[in-house]
Amino acid sequence: MNGTLLKIVQNREICSLKERKVADAILSDPSCVLTRTITEYAEYIGTSPSTITRFCHRMELSGYPELRLSIAKDNSSPNFTVGSISKQYDETVPDSTEKIIEEVVANAYSSIGQLNRLFSPSYLEKAVSLISESRHIILCGVGASGIVAKDFHQKLCRIGISSHYDDDFDLIKVQVTSYDERDLVIAFSYSGAKPEIKGILKIAKRKNVNIIAVTKAGGNPISSLSDVNLQVAPSEALVRNGATVSRLQMLLVVDVLYQMLLRKFSTSNTLMETWNNVSGEER
């Protein structure tokens, strides 16, 4: 999996107290892992080799050698800094306008770099195939994720792909009840834990409806229900002031899908006609 350090950040809270000590040590200075054996590293951070091995398994790694290799790959990426991720989990508001601008821009830049590493061409192509071949498409999301879902709905309409977006989740459940394997639900949720979205996807799963999920990297209830899971990088605490770069990342996923759909279909005439119809100019 790309981004082991990202995965450690995300899954820290599900670790035991001893494993969390290993996670914190790695995140504070990943390079120390690269220069020490497991015994040396255990002694250095004040734990045992068996705890480090359990931590590796928790991160779905075979053991310490794979941990070292994956961290080496992360460290070699020019777009990745552990400090920038840790900063994104800090909800403290800077004390000046200049610092706010600097941090927002830096976080966005870092998150875009992380997202680029998570893009999977094969998953994106499968998602485009499902979108282009489905009879009915419904999009859903809560809060900021709902804004992204609505944006994608509007883009699909512009190129002649019929879709539906609604923030009435009971109504969506009613609609999905009549869907089958010819149809598609596209769900947006950064946390992957919204009960409204989980309820919709559970119905879709029972009805054999295809599901595309756009959610943060790592296991969560929504990604486990999906047929295609398009991941965004962990970039914000789950309890936060408001969605910021997570929304930006999901919008970028939408933009990539939209560009792929434009390539797949000959849409220039449709785009021009929709533009003319909404521009208010007489033709």
Side-chain angles (χ1 to χ4, degrees), residues 6 16 18 53 63 68 130 183 195-196 198 217 221 245:
L6 291 175
S16 67
K18 290 183 178 180
T53 299
R68 294 179 68 181
L130 286 174
D183 305 313
E196 301 93 334
K198 284 193 290 183
V245 291

Side-chain angles (χ1 to χ4, degrees), residues 7 188 210 217-218:
K7 191 170 186 179
F188 295 85
N210 294 302

Side-chain angles (χ1 to χ4, degrees), residues 7 14 43 48 58 71 88 114 123 142 152 154 167 172 179 192 194 208 239-240 277:
K7 191 170 186 179
I14 66 172
E43 183 178 353
S48 65
R58 176 84 68 179
I71 288 176
Q88 290 162 1
Q114 295 158 29
Y123 282 14
V142 177
F152 197 24
Q154 293 173 341
D167 55 11
I172 294 176
Y179 283 11
K194 294 295 185 182
N208 295 319
V239 179
R240 50 196 167 145
N277 287 337

Side-chain angles (χ1 to χ4, degrees), residues 107-123:
N107 287 348
Y109 178 81
S110 175
S111 294
I112 290 170
Q114 295 158 29
L115 175 64
N116 189 45
R117 300 176 64 236
L118 289 172
F119 273 134
S120 168
S122 61
Y123 282 14

Side-chain angles (χ1 to χ4, degrees), residues 160-180:
I161 296 178
S162 179
S163 66
H164 180 75
Y165 165 80
D166 204 304
D167 55 11
D168 184 335
F169 299 107
D170 286 338
L171 178 59
I172 294 176
K173 289 178 181 179
V174 170
Q175 290 179 290
V176 173
T177 300
S178 65
Y179 283 11
D180 57 31

Side-chain angles (χ1 to χ4, degrees), residues 194-214:
K194 294 295 185 182
E196 301 93 334
I197 306 302
K198 284 193 290 183
I200 292 167
L201 297 193
K202 285 180 179 179
I203 295 172
K205 202 70 176 177
R206 289 199 303 268
K207 304 295 290 187
N208 295 319
V209 177
N210 294 302
I211 299 170
I212 297 173
V214 182

Side-chain angles (χ1 to χ4, degrees), residues 274-283:
T274 58
W275 168 256
N276 291 338
N277 287 337
V278 300
S279 66
E281 298 181 14
E282 295 293 334
R283 299 290 175 181

Side-chain angles (χ1 to χ4, degrees), residues 51-70:
T51 297
I52 294 176
T53 299
R54 286 196 299 272
F55 171 79
C56 292
H57 294 162
R58 176 84 68 179
M59 296 300 125
E60 299 180 342
L61 300 169
S62 59
Y64 190 69
E66 187 178 358
L67 174 67
R68 294 179 68 181
L69 178 62
S70 60

